[in-house]
Amino acid sequence: MSTNPTGRPPADLIAKAISAPLVRHVYTADPSAHVFEGRVYIYPSHDIEAGVPANDLGDQYAMEDYHVFRQDSPDSEAVDCGCVLHVRDVPWADRQMWAPDAAERDGRYYLYFPAKRADGLFQIGVACSDRPEGPFIAEPEPIRGSYSIDPAVFRDVDDAHYMVFGGVWGGQLQQYRDNQHSPLHAEPMGAAAALGPRIARLTEDMLQFAEAPRELRILDADGRALRADDHARRYFEGPWMHRHGGRYYLSYSTGNTHTLCYAIGDSPYGPFTWQGVLMTPVLGWTTHHSIVEFEGRWWLYYHDASLSEGVDHLRCIKCTELEHLPDGRIRTVHPYGPG
């Protein structure tokens, strides 16, 4: 989404937005929404101005804690439940508490989050609570075998839980092959297959991977893997999985082309066939979302940079209704109206 030469968004853009910011007293991004105990709980990033120069690795996104927000319904006020976890309370983490997610099992709540270790590598940790609003107590070590960013936990109909994760560039996914890290690895180029997100089933205690992460394949309509140079459709970051009509939907950000796309498969492990654009670009460089059902209606939670008038690392979470069409596709959302 472009801005004018002053660096601010066009004057009428914010007025056209289909959703107002859900939260105004702090900057929030990357909203993961879930229905727990009959209410919506949102687990976003907490953006701050840390004075770090911007770069393609995202060092300016220097978040250091998490707040949880509660809604009686998706169209009601979002109540700040306070700071539920800070980087200083995570023994293994050094900095950059990026996009989190949460899950519930047997009355226990789990907050999953990426953070950089002191050596600069991202891993994914977990913190636990007896309440969906926290506070959360972090496990002393990250999840064994975890790496990269953007954990999203999907609960299937058989009560199995899966974590989908991974982001390239600053998220470091391009440095991994077969779950092994090397700084010599780079993002694929040209006609090579694009990188896909990773998936791993969680153990019953929700604290570890029950299996080695595997790559999810995203295919075109002819069954070919999306190419690395297909920037309009290829995976970049921000995965989310939901189930509708007996099928599995994998949605994600394309990163440098600034859209949310989705693909459909018959299993959490895929393969997934690309279907279309879930949401067109928002104001700000990043786009990140979640999808949740509440009382029979579906909702898309997302963010833009309207509250800060276009500052990419100072964002605000938003929400709009999502429509699944009779043929299984999803109606594209235009965050500032059609046209």
Side-chain angles (χ1 to χ4, degrees):
M1 178 67 61
S2 61
T3 59
N4 64 31
T6 67
R8 295 190 173 215
D12 62 344
L13 183 67
I14 295 174
K16 292 180 178 179
I18 62 174
S19 171
L22 297 180
V23 177
R24 293 181 177 273
H25 65 287
V26 293
Y27 290 111
T28 51
D30 313 317
S32 292
H34 294 272
V35 176
F36 296 139
E37 300 180 352
R39 294 177 171 180
V40 178
Y41 285 85
I42 313 168
Y43 302 84
S45 303
H46 176 200
D47 283 349
I48 60 173
E49 180 54 80
V52 179
N55 57 41
D56 284 342
L57 297 181
D59 289 340
Q60 66 272 27
Y61 299 99
M63 300 87 96
E64 59 186 27
D65 65 12
Y66 297 111
H67 286 232
V68 173
F69 296 87
R70 183 183 64 244
Q71 294 178 292
D72 289 334
S73 65
D75 52 4
S76 67
E77 177 187 5
V79 176
D80 189 350
C81 299
C83 178
V84 301
L85 184 68
H86 195 282
V87 67
R88 63 173 172 259
D89 299 318
V90 183
W92 61 269
D94 183 71
R95 62 192 185 278
Q96 289 185 290
M97 304 278 273
W98 283 10
D101 193 20
E104 178 272 337
R105 186 164 194 159
D106 298 329
R108 188 87 166 141
Y109 297 88
Y110 302 88
L111 180 69
Y112 298 92
F113 59 93
K116 276 185 179 175
R117 308 181 321 210
D119 64 2
L121 284 182
F122 272 109
Q123 277 199 267
I124 296 171
V126 57
C128 307
S129 177
D130 292 326
R131 296 293 307 155
E133 69 271 22
F136 289 86
I137 305 299
E139 293 292 297
E141 298 290 339
I143 295 172
R144 291 187 298 274
S146 68
Y147 52 91
S148 195
I149 61 169
D150 292 352
V153 176
F154 167 71
R155 181 178 185 171
D156 206 351
V157 291
D158 62 357
D159 206 35
H161 288 74
Y162 301 85
M163 181 186 292
V164 187
F165 64 94
V168 301
W169 295 10
Q172 304 172 346
L173 184 63
Q174 71 277 6
Q175 297 179 5
Y176 288 84
R177 298 292 185 275
D178 298 321
N179 300 321
Q180 299 300 311
H181 176 265
S182 171
L184 300 179
H185 294 317
E187 183 182 7
M189 305 289 287
L195 292 173
R198 305 302 195 255
I199 187 170
R201 183 171 52 84
L202 293 169
T203 54
E204 289 194 8
D205 66 6
M206 304 292 282
L207 301 179
Q208 298 292 338
F209 291 157
E211 59 189 2
R214 64 184 78 178
E215 185 171 4
L216 291 178
R217 293 190 299 146
I218 304 173
L219 311 176
D220 65 18
D222 296 319
R224 295 186 295 257
L226 295 185
R227 293 168 47 128
D229 60 4
D230 188 351
H231 290 259
R233 298 190 296 174
R234 67 90 170 83
Y235 178 80
F236 186 90
E237 65 182 2
W240 189 262
M241 191 176 290
H242 76 281
R243 194 172 188 270
H244 182 268
R247 306 195 74 191
Y248 298 84
Y249 288 68
L250 173 67
S251 45
Y252 57 91
S253 168
T254 62
N256 57 330
T257 49
H258 314 297
T259 61
L260 294 176
C261 290
Y262 71 102
I264 299 177
D266 294 320
S267 162
Y269 294 115
F272 290 87
T273 302
W274 190 89
Q275 298 295 316
V277 173
L278 178 67
M279 188 169 70
T280 55
V282 297
L283 174 64
W285 200 94
T286 66
T287 187
H288 194 117
H289 73 297
S290 61
I291 296 170
V292 65
E293 183 182 14
F294 184 83
E295 296 183 351
R297 297 163 65 186
W298 289 88
W299 299 84
L300 174 71
Y301 283 75
Y302 63 101
H303 70 232
D304 71 6
S306 61
L307 189 61
S308 65
E309 297 186 338
V311 179
D312 289 347
H313 62 280
L314 298 176
R315 298 157 293 181
C316 54
I317 59 174
K318 296 187 166 189
C319 177
T320 191
E321 192 163 2
L322 193 70
E323 182 182 359
H324 292 82
L325 299 173
D327 64 0
R329 299 172 75 90
I330 297 175
R331 187 181 301 280
T332 300
V333 175
H334 299 276
Y336 308 100

mmCIF file of all heavy atoms in Angstrom, residues 77-107:
data_model
loop_
_atom_site.group_PDB
_atom_site.id
_atom_site.type_symbol
_atom_site.label_atom_id
_atom_site.label_comp_id
_atom_site.label_asym_id
_atom_site.label_seq_id
_atom_site.Cartn_x
_atom_site.Cartn_y
_atom_site.Cartn_z
ATOM 1 N N GLU A 77 -16.120 -4.202 22.082
ATOM 2 C CA GLU A 77 -14.892 -3.564 22.552
ATOM 3 C C GLU A 77 -13.831 -4.607 22.907
ATOM 4 O O GLU A 77 -14.141 -5.669 23.462
ATOM 5 C CB GLU A 77 -15.208 -2.729 23.797
ATOM 6 C CG GLU A 77 -13.996 -2.064 24.442
ATOM 7 C CD GLU A 77 -14.326 -1.404 25.758
ATOM 8 O OE1 GLU A 77 -15.482 -1.544 26.220
ATOM 9 O OE2 GLU A 77 -13.434 -0.746 26.335
ATOM 10 N N ALA A 78 -12.576 -4.281 22.607
ATOM 11 C CA ALA A 78 -11.451 -5.129 22.990
ATOM 12 C C ALA A 78 -10.874 -4.613 24.303
ATOM 13 O O ALA A 78 -10.398 -3.471 24.384
ATOM 14 C CB ALA A 78 -10.382 -5.120 21.907
ATOM 15 N N VAL A 79 -10.929 -5.447 25.345
ATOM 16 C CA VAL A 79 -10.481 -5.069 26.683
ATOM 17 C C VAL A 79 -9.059 -5.568 26.892
ATOM 18 O O VAL A 79 -8.763 -6.749 26.672
ATOM 19 C CB VAL A 79 -11.413 -5.662 27.757
ATOM 20 C CG1 VAL A 79 -10.898 -5.349 29.161
ATOM 21 C CG2 VAL A 79 -12.829 -5.131 27.561
ATOM 22 N N ASP A 80 -8.186 -4.680 27.304
ATOM 23 C CA ASP A 80 -6.783 -5.027 27.554
ATOM 24 C C ASP A 80 -6.678 -5.769 28.885
ATOM 25 O O ASP A 80 -6.986 -5.226 29.943
ATOM 26 C CB ASP A 80 -5.937 -3.756 27.579
ATOM 27 C CG ASP A 80 -4.441 -4.030 27.619
ATOM 28 O OD1 ASP A 80 -4.032 -5.184 27.811
ATOM 29 O OD2 ASP A 80 -3.669 -3.057 27.456
ATOM 30 N N CYS A 81 -6.233 -7.024 28.828
ATOM 31 C CA CYS A 81 -6.042 -7.817 30.044
ATOM 32 C C CYS A 81 -4.667 -7.604 30.659
ATOM 33 O O CYS A 81 -4.338 -8.236 31.674
ATOM 34 C CB CYS A 81 -6.241 -9.299 29.727
ATOM 35 S SG CYS A 81 -7.892 -9.704 29.107
ATOM 36 N N GLY A 82 -3.866 -6.737 30.069
ATOM 37 C CA GLY A 82 -2.569 -6.393 30.635
ATOM 38 C C GLY A 82 -1.428 -7.188 30.038
ATOM 39 O O GLY A 82 -1.608 -8.068 29.204
ATOM 40 N N CYS A 83 -0.231 -6.846 30.490
ATOM 41 C CA CYS A 83 0.978 -7.536 30.044
ATOM 42 C C CYS A 83 1.004 -8.929 30.659
ATOM 43 O O CYS A 83 0.923 -9.080 31.884
ATOM 44 C CB CYS A 83 2.215 -6.749 30.442
ATOM 45 S SG CYS A 83 3.773 -7.534 29.994
ATOM 46 N N VAL A 84 1.113 -9.960 29.814
ATOM 47 C CA VAL A 84 1.032 -11.339 30.302
ATOM 48 C C VAL A 84 2.364 -12.068 30.238
ATOM 49 O O VAL A 84 2.510 -13.142 30.826
ATOM 50 C CB VAL A 84 -0.029 -12.131 29.519
ATOM 51 C CG1 VAL A 84 -1.391 -11.470 29.667
ATOM 52 C CG2 VAL A 84 0.355 -12.278 28.052
ATOM 53 N N LEU A 85 3.345 -11.503 29.510
ATOM 54 C CA LEU A 85 4.671 -12.130 29.428
ATOM 55 C C LEU A 85 5.641 -11.094 28.874
ATOM 56 O O LEU A 85 5.337 -10.410 27.900
ATOM 57 C CB LEU A 85 4.657 -13.362 28.517
ATOM 58 C CG LEU A 85 5.980 -14.147 28.444
ATOM 59 C CD1 LEU A 85 6.281 -14.830 29.776
ATOM 60 C CD2 LEU A 85 5.925 -15.180 27.311
ATOM 61 N N HIS A 86 6.824 -11.005 29.510
ATOM 62 C CA HIS A 86 7.876 -10.066 29.090
ATOM 63 C C HIS A 86 9.129 -10.862 28.770
ATOM 64 O O HIS A 86 9.382 -11.918 29.377
ATOM 65 C CB HIS A 86 8.156 -9.047 30.202
ATOM 66 C CG HIS A 86 8.937 -7.857 29.751
ATOM 67 N ND1 HIS A 86 10.302 -7.896 29.544
ATOM 68 C CD2 HIS A 86 8.545 -6.581 29.469
ATOM 69 C CE1 HIS A 86 10.721 -6.699 29.159
ATOM 70 N NE2 HIS A 86 9.664 -5.890 29.097
ATOM 71 N N VAL A 87 9.928 -10.351 27.847
ATOM 72 C CA VAL A 87 11.146 -11.060 27.447
ATOM 73 C C VAL A 87 12.079 -11.310 28.629
ATOM 74 O O VAL A 87 12.784 -12.327 28.668
ATOM 75 C CB VAL A 87 11.869 -10.299 26.308
ATOM 76 C CG1 VAL A 87 12.418 -8.961 26.799
ATOM 77 C CG2 VAL A 87 12.962 -11.160 25.685
ATOM 78 N N ARG A 88 12.084 -10.423 29.600
ATOM 79 C CA ARG A 88 12.985 -10.626 30.747
ATOM 80 C C ARG A 88 12.576 -11.825 31.602
ATOM 81 O O ARG A 88 13.370 -12.313 32.418
ATOM 82 C CB ARG A 88 13.033 -9.364 31.611
ATOM 83 C CG ARG A 88 11.726 -8.964 32.248
ATOM 84 C CD ARG A 88 11.880 -7.799 33.223
ATOM 85 N NE ARG A 88 10.586 -7.326 33.672
ATOM 86 C CZ ARG A 88 9.988 -6.243 33.195
ATOM 87 N NH1 ARG A 88 10.555 -5.520 32.235
ATOM 88 N NH2 ARG A 88 8.789 -5.871 33.641
ATOM 89 N N ASP A 89 11.333 -12.312 31.404
ATOM 90 C CA ASP A 89 10.856 -13.466 32.165
ATOM 91 C C ASP A 89 10.971 -14.777 31.380
ATOM 92 O O ASP A 89 10.449 -15.810 31.808
ATOM 93 C CB ASP A 89 9.394 -13.249 32.573
ATOM 94 C CG ASP A 89 9.232 -12.023 33.458
ATOM 95 O OD1 ASP A 89 10.086 -11.828 34.351
ATOM 96 O OD2 ASP A 89 8.272 -11.260 33.240
ATOM 97 N N VAL A 90 11.658 -14.724 30.245
ATOM 98 C CA VAL A 90 11.884 -15.916 29.420
ATOM 99 C C VAL A 90 13.375 -16.233 29.480
ATOM 100 O O VAL A 90 14.183 -15.530 28.879
ATOM 101 C CB VAL A 90 11.434 -15.691 27.968
ATOM 102 C CG1 VAL A 90 11.626 -16.975 27.152
ATOM 103 C CG2 VAL A 90 9.983 -15.231 27.918
ATOM 104 N N PRO A 91 13.786 -17.268 30.210
ATOM 105 C CA PRO A 91 15.214 -17.491 30.466
ATOM 106 C C PRO A 91 16.073 -17.596 29.216
ATOM 107 O O PRO A 91 17.232 -17.160 29.227
ATOM 108 C CB PRO A 91 15.224 -18.806 31.263
ATOM 109 C CG PRO A 91 13.882 -18.865 31.920
ATOM 110 C CD PRO A 91 12.942 -18.242 30.944
ATOM 111 N N TRP A 92 15.539 -18.165 28.141
ATOM 112 C CA TRP A 92 16.357 -18.415 26.959
ATOM 113 C C TRP A 92 16.328 -17.280 25.947
ATOM 114 O O TRP A 92 17.145 -17.240 25.018
ATOM 115 C CB TRP A 92 15.898 -19.700 26.266
ATOM 116 C CG TRP A 92 14.479 -19.659 25.782
ATOM 117 C CD1 TRP A 92 13.373 -20.047 26.472
ATOM 118 C CD2 TRP A 92 14.023 -19.194 24.512
ATOM 119 N NE1 TRP A 92 12.239 -19.851 25.719
ATOM 120 C CE2 TRP A 92 12.620 -19.340 24.513
ATOM 121 C CE3 TRP A 92 14.649 -18.684 23.370
ATOM 122 C CZ2 TRP A 92 11.836 -18.977 23.407
ATOM 123 C CZ3 TRP A 92 13.871 -18.320 22.272
ATOM 124 C CH2 TRP A 92 12.489 -18.469 22.303
ATOM 125 N N ALA A 93 15.378 -16.340 26.086
ATOM 126 C CA ALA A 93 15.149 -15.321 25.063
ATOM 127 C C ALA A 93 15.952 -14.057 25.344
ATOM 128 O O ALA A 93 16.104 -13.632 26.487
ATOM 129 C CB ALA A 93 13.669 -14.988 24.981
ATOM 130 N N ASP A 94 16.412 -13.430 24.262
ATOM 131 C CA ASP A 94 17.199 -12.207 24.374
ATOM 132 C C ASP A 94 16.435 -10.974 23.890
ATOM 133 O O ASP A 94 16.507 -9.921 24.512
ATOM 134 C CB ASP A 94 18.493 -12.361 23.569
ATOM 135 C CG ASP A 94 19.407 -11.152 23.699
ATOM 136 O OD1 ASP A 94 19.972 -10.971 24.792
ATOM 137 O OD2 ASP A 94 19.543 -10.389 22.716
ATOM 138 N N ARG A 95 15.668 -11.110 22.784
ATOM 139 C CA ARG A 95 15.021 -9.926 22.210
ATOM 140 C C ARG A 95 14.010 -10.356 21.137
ATOM 141 O O ARG A 95 13.911 -11.506 20.795
ATOM 142 C CB ARG A 95 16.060 -8.986 21.584
ATOM 143 C CG ARG A 95 16.851 -9.595 20.438
ATOM 144 C CD ARG A 95 18.048 -8.714 20.083
ATOM 145 N NE ARG A 95 18.787 -9.165 18.909
ATOM 146 C CZ ARG A 95 19.704 -10.125 18.933
ATOM 147 N NH1 ARG A 95 19.989 -10.754 20.079
ATOM 148 N NH2 ARG A 95 20.342 -10.462 17.823
ATOM 149 N N GLN A 96 13.252 -9.374 20.658
ATOM 150 C CA GLN A 96 12.325 -9.503 19.532
ATOM 151 C C GLN A 96 11.277 -10.596 19.743
ATOM 152 O O GLN A 96 11.324 -11.671 19.165
ATOM 153 C CB GLN A 96 13.099 -9.712 18.222
ATOM 154 C CG GLN A 96 13.826 -8.437 17.798
ATOM 155 C CD GLN A 96 14.501 -8.552 16.448
ATOM 156 O OE1 GLN A 96 15.488 -9.260 16.303
ATOM 157 N NE2 GLN A 96 13.955 -7.855 15.455
ATOM 158 N N MET A 97 10.303 -10.250 20.575
ATOM 159 C CA MET A 97 9.153 -11.130 20.828
ATOM 160 C C MET A 97 8.129 -10.887 19.714
ATOM 161 O O MET A 97 7.261 -10.007 19.817
ATOM 162 C CB MET A 97 8.560 -10.823 22.195
ATOM 163 C CG MET A 97 9.548 -10.928 23.350
ATOM 164 S SD MET A 97 9.789 -12.605 23.919
ATOM 165 C CE MET A 97 8.447 -12.727 25.092
ATOM 166 N N TRP A 98 8.223 -11.664 18.650
ATOM 167 C CA TRP A 98 7.392 -11.455 17.473
ATOM 168 C C TRP A 98 6.060 -12.176 17.586
ATOM 169 O O TRP A 98 5.650 -12.590 18.667
ATOM 170 C CB TRP A 98 8.183 -11.850 16.234
ATOM 171 C CG TRP A 98 9.218 -10.807 15.830
ATOM 172 C CD1 TRP A 98 9.612 -9.702 16.538
ATOM 173 C CD2 TRP A 98 9.985 -10.779 14.617
ATOM 174 N NE1 TRP A 98 10.577 -9.001 15.850
ATOM 175 C CE2 TRP A 98 10.815 -9.629 14.670
ATOM 176 C CE3 TRP A 98 10.054 -11.612 13.503
ATOM 177 C CZ2 TRP A 98 11.699 -9.303 13.633
ATOM 178 C CZ3 TRP A 98 10.935 -11.286 12.465
ATOM 179 C CH2 TRP A 98 11.733 -10.144 12.526
ATOM 180 N N ALA A 99 5.379 -12.354 16.452
ATOM 181 C CA ALA A 99 3.974 -12.771 16.422
ATOM 182 C C ALA A 99 3.720 -14.067 17.194
ATOM 183 O O ALA A 99 4.308 -15.100 16.874
ATOM 184 C CB ALA A 99 3.522 -12.938 14.980
ATOM 185 N N PRO A 100 2.810 -14.048 18.182
ATOM 186 C CA PRO A 100 2.498 -15.240 18.983
ATOM 187 C C PRO A 100 1.212 -15.919 18.544
ATOM 188 O O PRO A 100 0.495 -15.453 17.660
ATOM 189 C CB PRO A 100 2.327 -14.638 20.377
ATOM 190 C CG PRO A 100 1.615 -13.339 20.085
ATOM 191 C CD PRO A 100 2.170 -12.847 18.757
ATOM 192 N N ASP A 101 0.896 -17.016 19.204
ATOM 193 C CA ASP A 101 -0.398 -17.669 19.092
ATOM 194 C C ASP A 101 -0.693 -18.358 20.417
ATOM 195 O O ASP A 101 0.177 -18.419 21.306
ATOM 196 C CB ASP A 101 -0.442 -18.666 17.934
ATOM 197 C CG ASP A 101 -1.865 -19.109 17.605
ATOM 198 O OD1 ASP A 101 -2.811 -18.401 17.982
ATOM 199 O OD2 ASP A 101 -2.025 -20.169 16.980
ATOM 200 N N ALA A 102 -1.900 -18.880 20.553
ATOM 201 C CA ALA A 102 -2.307 -19.529 21.800
ATOM 202 C C ALA A 102 -3.170 -20.747 21.501
ATOM 203 O O ALA A 102 -3.738 -20.884 20.414
ATOM 204 C CB ALA A 102 -3.076 -18.547 22.684
ATOM 205 N N ALA A 103 -3.266 -21.619 22.479
ATOM 206 C CA ALA A 103 -4.099 -22.820 22.358
ATOM 207 C C ALA A 103 -4.569 -23.226 23.746
ATOM 208 O O ALA A 103 -3.997 -22.808 24.762
ATOM 209 C CB ALA A 103 -3.322 -23.959 21.691
ATOM 210 N N GLU A 104 -5.600 -24.067 23.754
ATOM 211 C CA GLU A 104 -6.140 -24.588 25.018
ATOM 212 C C GLU A 104 -6.248 -26.104 24.917
ATOM 213 O O GLU A 104 -6.587 -26.658 23.875
ATOM 214 C CB GLU A 104 -7.530 -23.995 25.265
ATOM 215 C CG GLU A 104 -8.210 -24.496 26.533
ATOM 216 C CD GLU A 104 -9.027 -25.765 26.323
ATOM 217 O OE1 GLU A 104 -9.437 -26.028 25.156
ATOM 218 O OE2 GLU A 104 -9.250 -26.506 27.302
ATOM 219 N N ARG A 105 -5.936 -26.765 26.027
ATOM 220 C CA ARG A 105 -6.171 -28.203 26.110
ATOM 221 C C ARG A 105 -6.452 -28.586 27.553
ATOM 222 O O ARG A 105 -5.681 -28.228 28.452
ATOM 223 C CB ARG A 105 -4.982 -28.992 25.583
ATOM 224 C CG ARG A 105 -5.269 -30.501 25.514
ATOM 225 C CD ARG A 105 -4.281 -31.233 24.657
ATOM 226 N NE ARG A 105 -4.756 -32.582 24.356
ATOM 227 C CZ ARG A 105 -4.336 -33.319 23.349
ATOM 228 N NH1 ARG A 105 -3.427 -32.842 22.508
ATOM 229 N NH2 ARG A 105 -4.816 -34.522 23.151
ATOM 230 N N ASP A 106 -7.580 -29.243 27.782
ATOM 231 C CA ASP A 106 -7.953 -29.735 29.106
ATOM 232 C C ASP A 106 -7.919 -28.632 30.157
ATOM 233 O O ASP A 106 -7.468 -28.833 31.285
ATOM 234 C CB ASP A 106 -7.045 -30.896 29.514
ATOM 235 C CG ASP A 106 -7.165 -32.085 28.576
ATOM 236 O OD1 ASP A 106 -8.264 -32.286 28.028
ATOM 237 O OD2 ASP A 106 -6.159 -32.796 28.379
ATOM 238 N N GLY A 107 -8.413 -27.452 29.779
ATOM 239 C CA GLY A 107 -8.505 -26.346 30.722
ATOM 240 C C GLY A 107 -7.207 -25.611 30.999
ATOM 241 O O GLY A 107 -7.170 -24.729 31.867
#
